[in-house]
Amino acid sequence: MSKIESPSAMLMQFAKWPEAGRVKTRLIPALGVSGALNAHVTLTLAVLDNLCGARLPVQFWWDRAVESVPVDAREVVCDIERRGVMQKVQQGANLGDRMLGALGTGLQSHALALIVGSDCPSVEAGYVHQAVAALQEYDVVLGPSDDGGYVLIGARRVVPHMLDNIEWGTEGVLEQTCERLEELGLSVGLLEPRWDVDEPEDWARFQLTLQ
């Protein structure tokens, strides 16, 4: 099947395997180890629900392969399987490598590929469609986050090393990514800012959206 005949865009959700003490570590002082794990699961399922609501093909990309599903991950895995979403494993030494690899894979079968993290519940279906529309004009589209990173990255083409030399986890991620992409001749579009959940105040903000 050619790209023209394929669905226009592939959505990919990135997530860590739910494991106590390994996920949402910045929430542990406020929520405890178990509470941070539960928050990770809740956020992951919320993002998956949002992406599936966009009515586009969705894939779920785990941060590592495991031989058997741990107890902590069963709720997420069951929901993924119930929805018929394909599960894959990220490949690469750092986040930039992993995202570039996933985008490249998505573009092998679809005209557009987009990645959203599992801590980004503010990315709803409408925002996804804004990104898809922007990719008609730009090579890469980013959804800025309030902390200097981004909640979404989408591409209609990729080039080698386009996400190299980014200081992941810092306030300069968005700026560095834009500079890197433009250095390589890729046009970049920015959506309106959204928020993700890293700190206790972010978690409190998310809780308000559930009321």
PDB file of all heavy atoms in Angstrom, residues 14-19 22-24 27 31 34-46 60 62 72 76 118-119 203:
ATOM      1  N   PHE A  14       4.197   7.341  23.318  1.00  0.00           N
ATOM      2  CA  PHE A  14       5.409   6.870  23.991  1.00  0.00           C
ATOM      3  C   PHE A  14       5.108   6.693  25.478  1.00  0.00           C
ATOM      4  O   PHE A  14       4.466   7.558  26.093  1.00  0.00           O
ATOM      5  CB  PHE A  14       6.544   7.878  23.821  1.00  0.00           C
ATOM      6  CG  PHE A  14       7.442   7.621  22.647  1.00  0.00           C
ATOM      7  CD1 PHE A  14       6.947   7.092  21.475  1.00  0.00           C
ATOM      8  CD2 PHE A  14       8.795   7.929  22.706  1.00  0.00           C
ATOM      9  CE1 PHE A  14       7.772   6.850  20.388  1.00  0.00           C
ATOM     10  CE2 PHE A  14       9.636   7.692  21.635  1.00  0.00           C
ATOM     11  CZ  PHE A  14       9.132   7.149  20.472  1.00  0.00           C
ATOM     12  N   ALA A  15       5.589   5.599  26.067  1.00  0.00           N
ATOM     13  CA  ALA A  15       5.338   5.361  27.491  1.00  0.00           C
ATOM     14  C   ALA A  15       6.420   4.487  28.105  1.00  0.00           C
ATOM     15  O   ALA A  15       7.030   3.654  27.427  1.00  0.00           O
ATOM     16  CB  ALA A  15       3.974   4.697  27.686  1.00  0.00           C
ATOM     17  N   LYS A  16       6.633   4.674  29.390  1.00  0.00           N
ATOM     18  CA  LYS A  16       7.472   3.778  30.173  1.00  0.00           C
ATOM     19  C   LYS A  16       6.608   2.641  30.718  1.00  0.00           C
ATOM     20  O   LYS A  16       5.433   2.845  31.039  1.00  0.00           O
ATOM     21  CB  LYS A  16       8.100   4.521  31.359  1.00  0.00           C
ATOM     22  CG  LYS A  16       9.182   5.517  31.003  1.00  0.00           C
ATOM     23  CD  LYS A  16       9.771   6.117  32.275  1.00  0.00           C
ATOM     24  CE  LYS A  16      10.912   7.063  31.972  1.00  0.00           C
ATOM     25  NZ  LYS A  16      11.497   7.634  33.213  1.00  0.00           N
ATOM     26  N   TRP A  17       7.217   1.444  30.824  1.00  0.00           N
ATOM     27  CA  TRP A  17       6.522   0.365  31.505  1.00  0.00           C
ATOM     28  C   TRP A  17       6.201   0.820  32.920  1.00  0.00           C
ATOM     29  O   TRP A  17       7.066   1.359  33.611  1.00  0.00           O
ATOM     30  CB  TRP A  17       7.398  -0.880  31.578  1.00  0.00           C
ATOM     31  CG  TRP A  17       7.290  -1.768  30.378  1.00  0.00           C
ATOM     32  CD1 TRP A  17       8.219  -1.911  29.393  1.00  0.00           C
ATOM     33  CD2 TRP A  17       6.212  -2.645  30.044  1.00  0.00           C
ATOM     34  NE1 TRP A  17       7.772  -2.804  28.454  1.00  0.00           N
ATOM     35  CE2 TRP A  17       6.548  -3.276  28.833  1.00  0.00           C
ATOM     36  CE3 TRP A  17       4.987  -2.944  30.659  1.00  0.00           C
ATOM     37  CZ2 TRP A  17       5.703  -4.202  28.223  1.00  0.00           C
ATOM     38  CZ3 TRP A  17       4.145  -3.864  30.041  1.00  0.00           C
ATOM     39  CH2 TRP A  17       4.513  -4.487  28.841  1.00  0.00           C
ATOM     40  N   PRO A  18       4.964   0.652  33.371  1.00  0.00           N
ATOM     41  CA  PRO A  18       4.616   1.020  34.746  1.00  0.00           C
ATOM     42  C   PRO A  18       5.382   0.140  35.746  1.00  0.00           C
ATOM     43  O   PRO A  18       5.207  -1.074  35.762  1.00  0.00           O
ATOM     44  CB  PRO A  18       3.115   0.743  34.821  1.00  0.00           C
ATOM     45  CG  PRO A  18       2.646   0.757  33.404  1.00  0.00           C
ATOM     46  CD  PRO A  18       3.792   0.195  32.608  1.00  0.00           C
ATOM     47  N   GLU A  19       6.220   0.777  36.531  1.00  0.00           N
ATOM     48  CA  GLU A  19       7.019   0.057  37.518  1.00  0.00           C
ATOM     49  C   GLU A  19       7.261   0.984  38.707  1.00  0.00           C
ATOM     50  O   GLU A  19       7.748   2.109  38.539  1.00  0.00           O
ATOM     51  CB  GLU A  19       8.349  -0.377  36.907  1.00  0.00           C
ATOM     52  CG  GLU A  19       9.229  -1.169  37.843  1.00  0.00           C
ATOM     53  CD  GLU A  19      10.525  -1.584  37.175  1.00  0.00           C
ATOM     54  OE1 GLU A  19      10.481  -2.086  36.034  1.00  0.00           O
ATOM     55  OE2 GLU A  19      11.586  -1.386  37.798  1.00  0.00           O
ATOM     56  N   ARG A  22      10.062   3.804  39.307  1.00  0.00           N
ATOM     57  CA  ARG A  22      10.726   4.104  38.034  1.00  0.00           C
ATOM     58  C   ARG A  22       9.969   5.145  37.225  1.00  0.00           C
ATOM     59  O   ARG A  22      10.524   5.732  36.295  1.00  0.00           O
ATOM     60  CB  ARG A  22      10.865   2.803  37.224  1.00  0.00           C
ATOM     61  CG  ARG A  22      11.628   2.944  35.911  1.00  0.00           C
ATOM     62  CD  ARG A  22      11.844   1.596  35.255  1.00  0.00           C
ATOM     63  NE  ARG A  22      12.467   1.767  33.945  1.00  0.00           N
ATOM     64  CZ  ARG A  22      11.787   1.860  32.809  1.00  0.00           C
ATOM     65  NH1 ARG A  22      10.467   1.774  32.813  1.00  0.00           N
ATOM     66  NH2 ARG A  22      12.426   2.012  31.654  1.00  0.00           N
ATOM     67  N   VAL A  23       8.726   5.392  37.555  1.00  0.00           N
ATOM     68  CA  VAL A  23       7.893   6.314  36.785  1.00  0.00           C
ATOM     69  C   VAL A  23       7.407   7.465  37.663  1.00  0.00           C
ATOM     70  O   VAL A  23       7.217   7.313  38.861  1.00  0.00           O
ATOM     71  CB  VAL A  23       6.683   5.578  36.171  1.00  0.00           C
ATOM     72  CG1 VAL A  23       7.144   4.565  35.134  1.00  0.00           C
ATOM     73  CG2 VAL A  23       5.847   4.898  37.243  1.00  0.00           C
ATOM     74  N   LYS A  24       7.261   8.654  37.037  1.00  0.00           N
ATOM     75  CA  LYS A  24       6.767   9.839  37.735  1.00  0.00           C
ATOM     76  C   LYS A  24       7.509  10.062  39.051  1.00  0.00           C
ATOM     77  O   LYS A  24       6.903  10.306  40.101  1.00  0.00           O
ATOM     78  CB  LYS A  24       5.260   9.716  37.971  1.00  0.00           C
ATOM     79  CG  LYS A  24       4.439   9.773  36.709  1.00  0.00           C
ATOM     80  CD  LYS A  24       4.426  11.187  36.124  1.00  0.00           C
ATOM     81  CE  LYS A  24       4.948  11.206  34.714  1.00  0.00           C
ATOM     82  NZ  LYS A  24       5.530  12.442  34.268  1.00  0.00           N
ATOM     83  N   LEU A  27       6.880  12.983  41.342  1.00  0.00           N
ATOM     84  CA  LEU A  27       5.640  12.989  42.109  1.00  0.00           C
ATOM     85  C   LEU A  27       5.761  12.196  43.411  1.00  0.00           C
ATOM     86  O   LEU A  27       4.885  12.289  44.279  1.00  0.00           O
ATOM     87  CB  LEU A  27       4.490  12.414  41.277  1.00  0.00           C
ATOM     88  CG  LEU A  27       4.090  13.162  40.009  1.00  0.00           C
ATOM     89  CD1 LEU A  27       2.897  12.470  39.358  1.00  0.00           C
ATOM     90  CD2 LEU A  27       3.758  14.614  40.304  1.00  0.00           C
ATOM     91  N   LEU A  31       3.193  12.032  46.467  1.00  0.00           N
ATOM     92  CA  LEU A  31       2.224  10.939  46.350  1.00  0.00           C
ATOM     93  C   LEU A  31       2.724   9.610  46.898  1.00  0.00           C
ATOM     94  O   LEU A  31       1.923   8.684  47.063  1.00  0.00           O
ATOM     95  CB  LEU A  31       1.826  10.749  44.879  1.00  0.00           C
ATOM     96  CG  LEU A  31       1.252  11.960  44.139  1.00  0.00           C
ATOM     97  CD1 LEU A  31       0.900  11.580  42.706  1.00  0.00           C
ATOM     98  CD2 LEU A  31       0.037  12.514  44.858  1.00  0.00           C
ATOM     99  N   SER A  34       3.834   4.316  45.445  1.00  0.00           N
ATOM    100  CA  SER A  34       2.624   3.700  44.898  1.00  0.00           C
ATOM    101  C   SER A  34       1.733   4.737  44.235  1.00  0.00           C
ATOM    102  O   SER A  34       1.168   4.493  43.162  1.00  0.00           O
ATOM    103  CB  SER A  34       1.865   2.980  46.011  1.00  0.00           C
ATOM    104  OG  SER A  34       0.661   2.415  45.527  1.00  0.00           O
ATOM    105  N   GLY A  35       1.621   5.907  44.858  1.00  0.00           N
ATOM    106  CA  GLY A  35       0.794   6.963  44.282  1.00  0.00           C
ATOM    107  C   GLY A  35       1.328   7.470  42.959  1.00  0.00           C
ATOM    108  O   GLY A  35       0.559   7.753  42.031  1.00  0.00           O
ATOM    109  N   ALA A  36       2.657   7.577  42.862  1.00  0.00           N
ATOM    110  CA  ALA A  36       3.270   8.011  41.603  1.00  0.00           C
ATOM    111  C   ALA A  36       3.034   6.977  40.505  1.00  0.00           C
ATOM    112  O   ALA A  36       2.789   7.328  39.345  1.00  0.00           O
ATOM    113  CB  ALA A  36       4.760   8.253  41.797  1.00  0.00           C
ATOM    114  N   LEU A  37       3.110   5.703  40.861  1.00  0.00           N
ATOM    115  CA  LEU A  37       2.822   4.639  39.892  1.00  0.00           C
ATOM    116  C   LEU A  37       1.379   4.723  39.416  1.00  0.00           C
ATOM    117  O   LEU A  37       1.101   4.651  38.209  1.00  0.00           O
ATOM    118  CB  LEU A  37       3.088   3.277  40.526  1.00  0.00           C
ATOM    119  CG  LEU A  37       2.638   2.057  39.712  1.00  0.00           C
ATOM    120  CD1 LEU A  37       3.385   1.972  38.391  1.00  0.00           C
ATOM    121  CD2 LEU A  37       2.834   0.776  40.528  1.00  0.00           C
ATOM    122  N   ASN A  38       0.451   4.901  40.347  1.00  0.00           N
ATOM    123  CA  ASN A  38      -0.957   5.011  39.972  1.00  0.00           C
ATOM    124  C   ASN A  38      -1.197   6.233  39.087  1.00  0.00           C
ATOM    125  O   ASN A  38      -2.006   6.192  38.151  1.00  0.00           O
ATOM    126  CB  ASN A  38      -1.824   5.085  41.225  1.00  0.00           C
ATOM    127  CG  ASN A  38      -1.866   3.774  41.985  1.00  0.00           C
ATOM    128  OD1 ASN A  38      -1.644   2.710  41.409  1.00  0.00           O
ATOM    129  ND2 ASN A  38      -2.148   3.841  43.280  1.00  0.00           N
ATOM    130  N   ALA A  39      -0.478   7.327  39.378  1.00  0.00           N
ATOM    131  CA  ALA A  39      -0.607   8.528  38.552  1.00  0.00           C
ATOM    132  C   ALA A  39      -0.132   8.248  37.132  1.00  0.00           C
ATOM    133  O   ALA A  39      -0.762   8.680  36.153  1.00  0.00           O
ATOM    134  CB  ALA A  39       0.195   9.672  39.170  1.00  0.00           C
ATOM    135  N   HIS A  40       0.977   7.528  37.011  1.00  0.00           N
ATOM    136  CA  HIS A  40       1.501   7.188  35.686  1.00  0.00           C
ATOM    137  C   HIS A  40       0.483   6.368  34.894  1.00  0.00           C
ATOM    138  O   HIS A  40       0.243   6.642  33.703  1.00  0.00           O
ATOM    139  CB  HIS A  40       2.809   6.408  35.843  1.00  0.00           C
ATOM    140  CG  HIS A  40       3.359   5.879  34.558  1.00  0.00           C
ATOM    141  ND1 HIS A  40       3.952   6.696  33.613  1.00  0.00           N
ATOM    142  CD2 HIS A  40       3.404   4.620  34.043  1.00  0.00           C
ATOM    143  CE1 HIS A  40       4.346   5.958  32.581  1.00  0.00           C
ATOM    144  NE2 HIS A  40       4.016   4.704  32.818  1.00  0.00           N
ATOM    145  N   VAL A  41      -0.104   5.379  35.534  1.00  0.00           N
ATOM    146  CA  VAL A  41      -1.104   4.541  34.863  1.00  0.00           C
ATOM    147  C   VAL A  41      -2.306   5.383  34.450  1.00  0.00           C
ATOM    148  O   VAL A  41      -2.799   5.275  33.318  1.00  0.00           O
ATOM    149  CB  VAL A  41      -1.530   3.375  35.776  1.00  0.00           C
ATOM    150  CG1 VAL A  41      -2.740   2.645  35.195  1.00  0.00           C
ATOM    151  CG2 VAL A  41      -0.367   2.412  35.981  1.00  0.00           C
ATOM    152  N   THR A  42      -2.783   6.236  35.350  1.00  0.00           N
ATOM    153  CA  THR A  42      -3.938   7.081  35.054  1.00  0.00           C
ATOM    154  C   THR A  42      -3.660   8.001  33.872  1.00  0.00           C
ATOM    155  O   THR A  42      -4.488   8.147  32.963  1.00  0.00           O
ATOM    156  CB  THR A  42      -4.309   7.916  36.290  1.00  0.00           C
ATOM    157  OG1 THR A  42      -4.668   7.043  37.362  1.00  0.00           O
ATOM    158  CG2 THR A  42      -5.472   8.851  35.991  1.00  0.00           C
ATOM    159  N   LEU A  43      -2.488   8.623  33.871  1.00  0.00           N
ATOM    160  CA  LEU A  43      -2.126   9.529  32.778  1.00  0.00           C
ATOM    161  C   LEU A  43      -1.989   8.775  31.459  1.00  0.00           C
ATOM    162  O   LEU A  43      -2.445   9.248  30.411  1.00  0.00           O
ATOM    163  CB  LEU A  43      -0.819  10.241  33.114  1.00  0.00           C
ATOM    164  CG  LEU A  43      -0.885  11.284  34.232  1.00  0.00           C
ATOM    165  CD1 LEU A  43       0.521  11.654  34.697  1.00  0.00           C
ATOM    166  CD2 LEU A  43      -1.634  12.526  33.767  1.00  0.00           C
ATOM    167  N   THR A  44      -1.356   7.630  31.512  1.00  0.00           N
ATOM    168  CA  THR A  44      -1.155   6.835  30.301  1.00  0.00           C
ATOM    169  C   THR A  44      -2.486   6.476  29.658  1.00  0.00           C
ATOM    170  O   THR A  44      -2.663   6.590  28.432  1.00  0.00           O
ATOM    171  CB  THR A  44      -0.360   5.563  30.622  1.00  0.00           C
ATOM    172  OG1 THR A  44       0.925   5.923  31.158  1.00  0.00           O
ATOM    173  CG2 THR A  44      -0.154   4.703  29.384  1.00  0.00           C
ATOM    174  N   LEU A  45      -3.443   6.057  30.470  1.00  0.00           N
ATOM    175  CA  LEU A  45      -4.752   5.682  29.950  1.00  0.00           C
ATOM    176  C   LEU A  45      -5.515   6.901  29.442  1.00  0.00           C
ATOM    177  O   LEU A  45      -6.248   6.816  28.447  1.00  0.00           O
ATOM    178  CB  LEU A  45      -5.558   4.960  31.032  1.00  0.00           C
ATOM    179  CG  LEU A  45      -5.014   3.587  31.451  1.00  0.00           C
ATOM    180  CD1 LEU A  45      -5.803   3.042  32.626  1.00  0.00           C
ATOM    181  CD2 LEU A  45      -5.048   2.606  30.282  1.00  0.00           C
ATOM    182  N   ALA A  46      -5.338   8.044  30.114  1.00  0.00           N
ATOM    183  CA  ALA A  46      -6.013   9.270  29.666  1.00  0.00           C
ATOM    184  C   ALA A  46      -5.503   9.711  28.301  1.00  0.00           C
ATOM    185  O   ALA A  46      -6.285  10.105  27.420  1.00  0.00           O
ATOM    186  CB  ALA A  46      -5.805  10.379  30.694  1.00  0.00           C
ATOM    187  N   PHE A  60       1.205   2.087  20.156  1.00  0.00           N
ATOM    188  CA  PHE A  60       1.696   2.325  21.506  1.00  0.00           C
ATOM    189  C   PHE A  60       3.142   1.838  21.577  1.00  0.00           C
ATOM    190  O   PHE A  60       3.421   0.663  21.343  1.00  0.00           O
ATOM    191  CB  PHE A  60       0.831   1.582  22.522  1.00  0.00           C
ATOM    192  CG  PHE A  60       0.986   2.065  23.924  1.00  0.00           C
ATOM    193  CD1 PHE A  60       0.081   2.951  24.470  1.00  0.00           C
ATOM    194  CD2 PHE A  60       2.048   1.656  24.708  1.00  0.00           C
ATOM    195  CE1 PHE A  60       0.216   3.419  25.776  1.00  0.00           C
ATOM    196  CE2 PHE A  60       2.211   2.109  26.006  1.00  0.00           C
ATOM    197  CZ  PHE A  60       1.285   2.992  26.541  1.00  0.00           C
ATOM    198  N   TRP A  62       6.371   1.225  23.827  1.00  0.00           N
ATOM    199  CA  TRP A  62       6.980   1.067  25.152  1.00  0.00           C
ATOM    200  C   TRP A  62       8.465   1.449  25.127  1.00  0.00           C
ATOM    201  O   TRP A  62       9.111   1.340  24.082  1.00  0.00           O
ATOM    202  CB  TRP A  62       6.845  -0.366  25.635  1.00  0.00           C
ATOM    203  CG  TRP A  62       5.450  -0.827  25.913  1.00  0.00           C
ATOM    204  CD1 TRP A  62       4.699  -1.693  25.172  1.00  0.00           C
ATOM    205  CD2 TRP A  62       4.635  -0.453  27.029  1.00  0.00           C
ATOM    206  NE1 TRP A  62       3.475  -1.883  25.755  1.00  0.00           N
ATOM    207  CE2 TRP A  62       3.404  -1.139  26.901  1.00  0.00           C
ATOM    208  CE3 TRP A  62       4.828   0.389  28.131  1.00  0.00           C
ATOM    209  CZ2 TRP A  62       2.369  -1.005  27.825  1.00  0.00           C
ATOM    210  CZ3 TRP A  62       3.796   0.519  29.053  1.00  0.00           C
ATOM    211  CH2 TRP A  62       2.592  -0.167  28.897  1.00  0.00           C
ATOM    212  N   ASP A  72       2.050  -4.421  37.537  1.00  0.00           N
ATOM    213  CA  ASP A  72       1.762  -2.987  37.502  1.00  0.00           C
ATOM    214  C   ASP A  72       1.297  -2.511  36.132  1.00  0.00           C
ATOM    215  O   ASP A  72       0.643  -1.471  36.023  1.00  0.00           O
ATOM    216  CB  ASP A  72       3.015  -2.191  37.908  1.00  0.00           C
ATOM    217  CG  ASP A  72       3.418  -2.442  39.357  1.00  0.00           C
ATOM    218  OD1 ASP A  72       2.551  -2.862  40.148  1.00  0.00           O
ATOM    219  OD2 ASP A  72       4.599  -2.220  39.688  1.00  0.00           O
ATOM    220  N   VAL A  76      -2.892  -1.215  31.900  1.00  0.00           N
ATOM    221  CA  VAL A  76      -2.600  -0.497  30.663  1.00  0.00           C
ATOM    222  C   VAL A  76      -2.607  -1.454  29.474  1.00  0.00           C
ATOM    223  O   VAL A  76      -3.213  -1.174  28.434  1.00  0.00           O
ATOM    224  CB  VAL A  76      -1.249   0.230  30.752  1.00  0.00           C
ATOM    225  CG1 VAL A  76      -0.920   0.919  29.432  1.00  0.00           C
ATOM    226  CG2 VAL A  76      -1.262   1.252  31.887  1.00  0.00           C
ATOM    227  N   SER A 118       3.150  10.034  27.299  1.00  0.00           N
ATOM    228  CA  SER A 118       2.078   9.565  28.172  1.00  0.00           C
ATOM    229  C   SER A 118       1.837  10.465  29.374  1.00  0.00           C
ATOM    230  O   SER A 118       0.973  10.159  30.196  1.00  0.00           O
ATOM    231  CB  SER A 118       2.376   8.134  28.639  1.00  0.00           C
ATOM    232  OG  SER A 118       2.182   7.222  27.585  1.00  0.00           O
ATOM    233  N   ASP A 119       2.589  11.538  29.499  1.00  0.00           N
ATOM    234  CA  ASP A 119       2.338  12.495  30.581  1.00  0.00           C
ATOM    235  C   ASP A 119       1.729  13.789  30.035  1.00  0.00           C
ATOM    236  O   ASP A 119       1.824  14.831  30.670  1.00  0.00           O
ATOM    237  CB  ASP A 119       3.624  12.796  31.359  1.00  0.00           C
ATOM    238  CG  ASP A 119       4.750  13.329  30.466  1.00  0.00           C
ATOM    239  OD1 ASP A 119       4.552  13.395  29.232  1.00  0.00           O
ATOM    240  OD2 ASP A 119       5.815  13.671  31.006  1.00  0.00           O
ATOM    241  N   TRP A 203       0.108  17.605  38.574  1.00  0.00           N
ATOM    242  CA  TRP A 203      -0.838  16.532  38.902  1.00  0.00           C
ATOM    243  C   TRP A 203      -2.128  17.115  39.468  1.00  0.00           C
ATOM    244  O   TRP A 203      -3.221  16.662  39.122  1.00  0.00           O
ATOM    245  CB  TRP A 203      -0.207  15.555  39.895  1.00  0.00           C
ATOM    246  CG  TRP A 203      -1.117  14.470  40.346  1.00  0.00           C
ATOM    247  CD1 TRP A 203      -1.601  14.283  41.614  1.00  0.00           C
ATOM    248  CD2 TRP A 203      -1.670  13.395  39.563  1.00  0.00           C
ATOM    249  NE1 TRP A 203      -2.419  13.183  41.674  1.00  0.00           N
ATOM    250  CE2 TRP A 203      -2.469  12.616  40.432  1.00  0.00           C
ATOM    251  CE3 TRP A 203      -1.557  13.036  38.224  1.00  0.00           C
ATOM    252  CZ2 TRP A 203      -3.164  11.483  39.975  1.00  0.00           C
ATOM    253  CZ3 TRP A 203      -2.249  11.921  37.772  1.00  0.00           C
ATOM    254  CH2 TRP A 203      -3.041  11.152  38.641  1.00  0.00           C
TER     255      TRP A 203
END
